[in-house]
Amino acid sequence: GGLWLPCAGSVTPWNTHLGSEEYEPDAKPFDKATTLEELRALSSEEYGNALNFMRYFGKYPGNFTMADVKAVFNPYKYGHITELA
């Protein structure tokens, strides 16, 4: 699913980059909303708006439905620590 907002992190003892995702999307609006309008109203830019992240999946405003959002976007798949070797 990609990274939401990677942070700088630091270097591990074995010389790899260790970072994490910051400001992962807020799952509460995603779980409560049943329409795109509800999701837009419940989401905030400060805590991550799922509708903005749809661009990552090639979906732009006006060409996706709530069913499309729920099919490709899972707010629980973010906020993980990443290590790059």
Side-chain angles (χ1 to χ4, degrees):
L3 293 174
W4 182 259
L5 290 170
C7 77
S10 64
V11 178
T12 66
W14 44 94
N15 207 29
T16 60
H17 172 82
L18 188 64
S20 67
E21 294 178 295
E22 296 182 312
Y23 314 112
E24 61 272 0
D26 187 359
K28 286 182 244 170
F30 183 81
D31 289 340
K32 289 180 181 179
T34 58
T35 66
L36 289 176
E37 291 74 26
E38 287 178 5
L39 183 57
R40 190 174 289 110
L42 292 168
S43 297
S44 74
E45 295 300 320
E46 182 178 359
Y47 294 107
N49 185 331
L51 296 178
N52 290 338
F53 199 70
M54 290 300 291
R55 290 176 289 184
Y56 176 82
F57 299 105
K59 303 287 186 181
Y60 295 88
N63 78 341
F64 60 87
T65 65
M66 190 63 178
D68 293 330
V69 174
K70 297 232 179 209
V72 298
F73 183 75
N74 182 346
Y76 296 100
K77 289 178 70 174
Y78 301 93
H80 301 287
I81 294 173
T82 56
E83 181 177 8
L84 304 175

